[in-house]
């Protein structure tokens, strides 16, 4: 793999793998929280699920390293039973991206689901639809523009993750060096031309993300 192209491919693979996980986890968590009637329990669970969003990325990375490092409980479990080392592997870049982008997906999905007219779900129930059918065939399609916008935002967050990735996955060329880490490495080495090229790639992708978010926002605003 070309050394110059490697960070771009690693970042795209990482962001794609993370959004496949984050998208469904975020929707499931949002459905769970929206369905809770206790305001106190809802507030506590919401705070726990949103916490990675407000923590400094390096602190979130520290907790991930504690859990999934070779001496951590989860890391030791995977190493002992599956001979899989998570820390400082490509999988660690995905794990870091999932952990940091999940709150964005969750909050976007929750906000979209909470805006669905309850009368629609009530009507579907009177027609004999189960709760899961009501969710998948009525609530989720209605909330889809907001959910999709959250997915796009989460993809971008996973693509741009730096702090937690550096803590858990390291900065290994050709293996865990993502675009943000490649920019940092190029600047640290004084290779500004390479840094400029990587920055242009990130800006181009970010611009596309903003355009997609605006598209879904406009689609969701239509009567």
């Amino acid at each position: 793999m070309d050394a110059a192209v490697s960070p771009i491919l690693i970042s795209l693979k990482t962001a794609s793998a993370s959004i496949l996980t984050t998208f469904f986890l975020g929707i499931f968590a949002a459905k769970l929280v929206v369905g809770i009637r206790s305001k106190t329990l809802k507030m506590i669970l919401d705070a726990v699920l949103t916490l990675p969003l407000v923590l400094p990325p390096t602190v979130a990375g520290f907790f991930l390293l504690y859990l999934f490092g070779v001496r951590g409980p989860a890391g030791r479990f995977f190493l002992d039973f599956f001979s899989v080392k998570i820390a400082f592997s490509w999988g660690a870049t995905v794990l870091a991206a999932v952990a940091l982008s999940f709150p964005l997906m969750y909050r976007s999905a929750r906000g979209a689901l909470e805006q669905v007219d309850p009368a629609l779900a009530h009507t579907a129930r009177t027609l004999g639809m189960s709760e899961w059918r009501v969710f998948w065939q009525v609530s989720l399609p209605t909330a889809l523009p907001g959910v999709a916008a959250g997915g796009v935002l989460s993809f971008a967050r996973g693509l741009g993750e730096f702090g937690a990735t550096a803590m858990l996955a390291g900065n290994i060329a050709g293996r865990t060096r993502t675009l943000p880490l490649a920019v940092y490495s190029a600047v640290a080495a004084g290779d500004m031309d390479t840094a400029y090229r990587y920055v242009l790639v990130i800006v181009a992708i970010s611009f596309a993300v903003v355009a997609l978010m605006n598209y879904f926002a406009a689609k969701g605003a239509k009567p």
Side-chain angles (χ1 to χ4, degrees), residues 22-23 25-27 29-31 33-34 42-54 101-115 146-147 149-151 153-154:
T22 305
F23 186 80
L25 282 179
I27 291 175
K31 180 183 182 301
V33 173
V34 168
K42 180 180 290 190
M43 181 179 65
I44 293 174
L45 189 56
D46 181 75
V48 171
L49 295 175
T50 307
L51 187 61
L53 184 64
V54 297
S101 62
F102 168 81
L104 292 174
M105 184 65 227
Y106 155 70
R107 294 197 69 86
S108 297
R110 179 186 170 184
L113 289 174
E114 287 179 335
Q115 292 179 15
V147 172
L153 187 60
S154 298

Side-chain angles (χ1 to χ4, degrees), residues 113-127 134 138-139 142:
L113 289 174
E114 287 179 335
Q115 292 179 15
V116 175
D117 187 352
L120 294 175
H122 177 71
T123 302
R125 292 188 189 99
T126 61
L127 296 175
V134 170
V138 178
S139 300
T142 305

Side-chain angles (χ1 to χ4, degrees), residues 52-150:
L53 184 64
V54 297
L55 282 177
T58 50
V59 175
F62 173 83
F63 284 116
L64 289 174
L65 186 60
Y66 173 78
L67 291 173
F68 293 96
V70 291
R71 296 182 180 180
R76 186 180 303 168
F77 173 81
F78 280 99
L79 190 60
D80 291 344
F81 289 92
F82 302 102
S83 299
V84 174
K85 180 184 177 183
I86 295 179
F88 305 105
S89 67
W90 175 75
T93 68
V94 177
L95 184 58
V98 168
L100 273 295
S101 62
F102 168 81
L104 292 174
M105 184 65 227
Y106 155 70
R107 294 197 69 86
S108 297
R110 179 186 170 184
L113 289 174
E114 287 179 335
Q115 292 179 15
V116 175
D117 187 352
L120 294 175
H122 177 71
T123 302
R125 292 188 189 99
T126 61
L127 296 175
M129 296 178 67
S130 66
E131 287 299 322
W132 275 106
R133 286 189 63 194
V134 170
F135 176 73
W136 288 107
Q137 298 182 19
V138 178
S139 300
L140 187 58
T142 305
L144 192 57
V147 172

